[in-house]
Amino acid sequence: MLLVDDHTLVRAGLRALIGGEPGLVVAGEAGNGEEAVRLAANLEVDVVLMDLRLSDGRDGMDGAEATRRLVTALPGVRVVVLTSYGTRADVVRAMEAGARGYVLKAGPPEELFRAVRAATSGGVGLAPEIADRLISGPANPATRFSDREIQVLSLLAEGLTNRAIADSLFLTEATVKTHLVRLFRKLGTGSRAGAVSEAVRRGLVKLD
């Protein structure tokens, strides 16, 4: 795991906290987005714990942009946002960038560990209050979703691959991809994580 936060004391506290959790190992730390992208590749980490508001760096890269660059350059890396900012706009921006989890620093450690493990297994990990804020947003009643589309969304939220979704619903992988293209358009997103985030906000699916 790579810790990304522009406050040295915060990183030290996280390292101590995570170091006591079985199965989680901190491989490195970064104080800005540029360093995070470089270290994530060099250290070959599978999870990046990302602060949303980064100010320590001349690159001007905040946590959302760093997340976008990370998942683009390293598709196998899962980013979990850990931040003090939990507005719906912040959450949506992070999820659209490709984050697989969103946890508040004021929350209990168990929420962080749960989100990290969910992201590692291919799912999406949201703190309960974050999920509530997404769901409480206004829905678009003009957009209709078929039962099949809801099924695809539900399996997508569980972190299943296109092939696994196809096998589960007895569809071809090409059909699943067609459903995803339509879902992305209806939900106004361009990523799997963004689709799950928006689906949760609209109450179309629920995360355990």
Side-chain angles (χ1 to χ4, degrees):
M1 181 186 300
L2 176 66
L3 306 180
V4 185
D5 196 292
D6 54 1
H7 293 94
T8 304
L9 287 178
V10 172
R11 297 199 306 270
L14 287 172
R15 181 181 281 274
L17 176 67
I18 294 169
E21 182 66 10
L24 300 184
V25 177
V26 176
E29 303 176 14
N32 57 64
E34 183 178 9
E35 186 181 16
V37 175
R38 176 175 56 81
L39 284 179
N42 292 342
L43 297 174
E44 298 183 350
V45 297
D46 53 359
V47 176
V48 174
L49 202 55
M50 177 73 68
D51 184 26
L52 197 60
R53 305 290 173 89
L54 297 174
S55 58
D56 183 17
R58 292 168 297 184
D59 52 24
M61 194 188 312
D62 66 2
E65 180 58 26
T67 296
R68 191 184 313 279
R69 296 192 190 186
L70 273 168
V71 299
T72 298
L74 305 167
V77 171
R78 309 293 185 179
V79 177
V80 175
V81 170
L82 177 63
T83 184
S84 301
Y85 302 91
T87 68
R88 183 180 174 278
D90 285 325
V91 178
V92 170
R93 192 163 61 93
M95 301 301 282
E96 287 284 359
R100 301 293 299 185
Y102 200 108
V103 184
L104 296 178
K105 290 180 178 178
E110 291 74 20
E111 288 183 0
L112 171 60
F113 302 147
R114 194 159 46 240
V116 168
R117 291 195 168 97
T120 302
S121 64
V124 177
L126 300 176
E129 65 266 45
I130 297 301
D132 289 343
R133 287 172 196 175
L134 288 175
I135 294 172
S136 65
N140 182 359
T143 304
R144 296 182 180 276
F145 296 85
S146 67
D147 290 341
R148 180 64 82 193
E149 287 173 335
I150 297 299
Q151 290 175 329
V152 171
L153 275 174
S154 298
L155 295 175
L156 190 67
E158 293 178 14
L160 270 64
T161 64
N162 290 357
R163 169 51 57 190
I165 294 174
D167 292 343
S168 179
L169 299 178
F170 302 101
L171 302 172
T172 66
E173 194 168 356
T175 300
V176 171
K177 290 179 180 178
T178 298
H179 280 305
L180 289 177
V181 169
R182 291 173 179 169
L183 285 168
F184 288 175
R185 184 173 64 249
K186 287 183 177 182
L187 294 168
T189 182
S191 70
R192 299 168 74 90
V196 172
S197 173
E198 183 63 14
V200 170
R201 183 189 74 78
R202 298 190 187 197
L204 298 172
V205 299
K206 294 182 178 180
L207 298 177
D208 295 331

